[in-house]
Amino acid sequence: SAWRNVGRRLGVLQVPSAGDEEPLQHLEPGAVFLAARVAVVAGRRYLQRADGSGWIPECSRKDASRVVVEAVDSSASAPGDSSAANATTDAVVACPAPFPKTHVRVRFLRVFVRETRSETSPSVQIGQISLRCRGRLLDMSGFLAENPCGNSPKYEGPEKVFAPKGKWLDLCFREHEQSVLLITAPTEIEVDDFAFRTASDAAHRDPVHLTIHGSLDGWEWIKLHEMAGDLYTPKARLAWSPWLQLRPDPAESCSLDAAEQVACRLQALPSEVSWWRNVGKRLGILSRPCSGVEPSDHLQPNACFAALRVTSVDGLRYFQL
């Protein structure tokens, strides 16, 4: 993707870091560059140049609140002005995107969408997703997409994120204050980057804040990327985001906070579990399957839960969460 320096003279760093490292070189104000991917380090985002020559910070190193890059919309060029597009094409041909020497191994990816472009949108949508490793697109045949506790129209379910046409639409985004897209690979995979494409309509439903977690077993999860703000979500329809690098942030703890652990348990487990709803009154959760045990917690009426298995004790059946 093509970007422009909208700040002052901008340093190109050897590694993505907010420290006092001296820049390798500088970009002049207004300079356009190509980015291979976006990485997060210590909560700050950096764009890797497509020719592998270094990393460019999203924000000023002196003032973290000041964004110094913007996406270049080639469709906004003046008629007959194809210089930016030609430069982009030539650079891509001459300099294939660099890729990391180490790769994340996962079987499950969980995408939390936390904000949309419009603060009042009742739903969220994504046109398509892609994964790549070592600079090559992954074949996503056999992958499964789920939207736990979501609600989609008949022909706009989560499986549409693998198709070049259509979209995934979750109508329960505002009701749940988030949407979850759970991707399950047929086997373990190695992956470097994630990208998504906007849908063909309704820009107000585009995701602008999402977090991506990965897991080998569906139980232990680790945060791999957090995209906050609309800088990396194209306003154009059917347009791709930049590649978002999937890596644990070395400056953060690998463990999830309490809220994410709860969300993981309640909404984003792999497809081997089955989903159930409490259709009674307030329902007790027992520490073991026994009728004489005091509940350790409760499910509210209509609450959904994921069950691993059903067991029978003294003629009564119990679901294990």
Side-chain angles (χ1 to χ4, degrees):
S1 54
W3 296 79
R4 178 182 290 109
N5 172 16
V6 295
R8 300 177 181 177
R9 199 159 177 257
L10 186 59
V12 180
L13 309 177
Q14 183 175 3
V15 295
S17 170
D20 297 327
E21 174 195 350
E22 283 296 318
L24 297 172
Q25 55 182 293
H26 290 84
L27 286 180
E28 297 302 321
V32 175
F33 64 95
L34 292 177
R37 61 176 50 82
V38 182
V40 181
V41 177
R44 301 180 70 169
R45 278 162 287 278
Y46 300 82
L47 292 86
Q48 185 180 24
R49 297 190 73 178
D51 60 4
S53 63
W55 296 80
I56 296 172
E58 169 196 284
C59 298
S60 167
R61 300 174 78 189
K62 295 181 180 179
D63 180 4
S65 66
R66 184 163 62 90
V67 176
V68 294
V69 296
E70 69 175 6
V72 175
D73 181 5
S74 59
S75 65
S77 301
D81 179 11
S82 59
S83 56
N86 289 339
T88 298
T89 303
D90 293 344
V92 169
V93 173
C95 304
F99 56 83
K101 294 181 180 179
T102 58
H103 318 278
V104 174
R105 291 190 64 84
V106 297
R107 189 184 173 202
F108 306 99
L109 287 173
R110 183 191 63 193
V111 182
F112 273 120
V113 180
R114 304 186 184 279
E115 294 179 21
T116 53
R117 198 182 299 277
S118 168
E119 296 180 354
T120 59
S121 175
S123 54
V124 66
Q125 64 185 19
I126 292 178
Q128 190 179 357
I129 66 169
S130 284
L131 302 173
R132 72 176 179 179
C133 185
R134 299 179 177 89
R136 297 179 179 274
L137 294 179
L138 295 186
D139 180 3
M140 303 185 75
S141 301
F143 279 60
L144 176 68
E146 299 171 274
N147 178 206
C149 293
N151 180 25
S152 300
K154 183 176 180 180
Y155 298 109
E156 295 178 332
E159 68 282 354
K160 287 293 187 178
V161 297
F162 302 135
K165 294 183 179 181
K167 66 183 179 185
W168 161 57
L169 174 64
D170 181 13
L171 301 174
C172 291
F173 167 72
R174 189 62 54 188
E175 177 185 348
H176 294 157
E177 298 183 345
Q178 65 180 12
S179 289
V180 181
L181 181 65
L182 180 67
I183 307 299
T184 303
T187 59
E188 291 181 13
I189 60 171
E190 288 186 334
V191 62
D192 291 326
D193 305 296
F194 170 96
F196 66 91
R197 189 172 69 160
T198 58
S200 60
D201 62 353
H204 64 277
R205 297 177 184 155
D206 292 343
V208 297
H209 185 179
L210 56 82
T211 57
I212 305 170
H213 299 82
S215 174
L216 281 170
D217 57 10
W219 297 103
E220 298 291 332
W221 295 87
I222 187 169
K223 184 188 292 185
L224 299 177
H225 194 97
E226 180 170 9
M227 184 195 82
D230 63 359
L231 182 63
Y232 301 108
T233 301
K235 294 181 179 179
R237 300 298 81 200
L238 300 177
W240 284 96
S241 73
W243 288 105
L244 308 177
Q245 185 179 41
L246 299 181
R247 284 291 182 280
D249 187 339
E252 293 186 0
S253 169
C254 290
S255 60
L256 305 182
D257 60 32
E260 289 174 326
Q261 290 283 8
V262 170
C264 175
R265 290 197 300 269
L266 295 183
Q267 294 199 36
L269 296 176
S271 58
E272 283 80 356
V273 302
S274 57
W275 288 89
W276 299 79
R277 177 180 285 109
N278 173 18
V279 295
K281 299 180 179 179
R282 197 162 174 257
L283 186 60
I285 300 175
L286 311 178
S287 59
R288 63 182 188 275
C290 178
S291 58
V293 177
E294 284 295 318
S296 59
D297 201 351
H298 290 83
L299 284 178
Q300 298 303 317
N302 293 316
C304 294
F305 63 94
L308 274 177
R309 58 180 59 88
V310 181
T311 187
S312 180
V313 177
D314 295 331
L316 297 175
R317 281 170 290 279
Y318 300 83
F319 294 87
Q320 183 181 10
L321 296 180

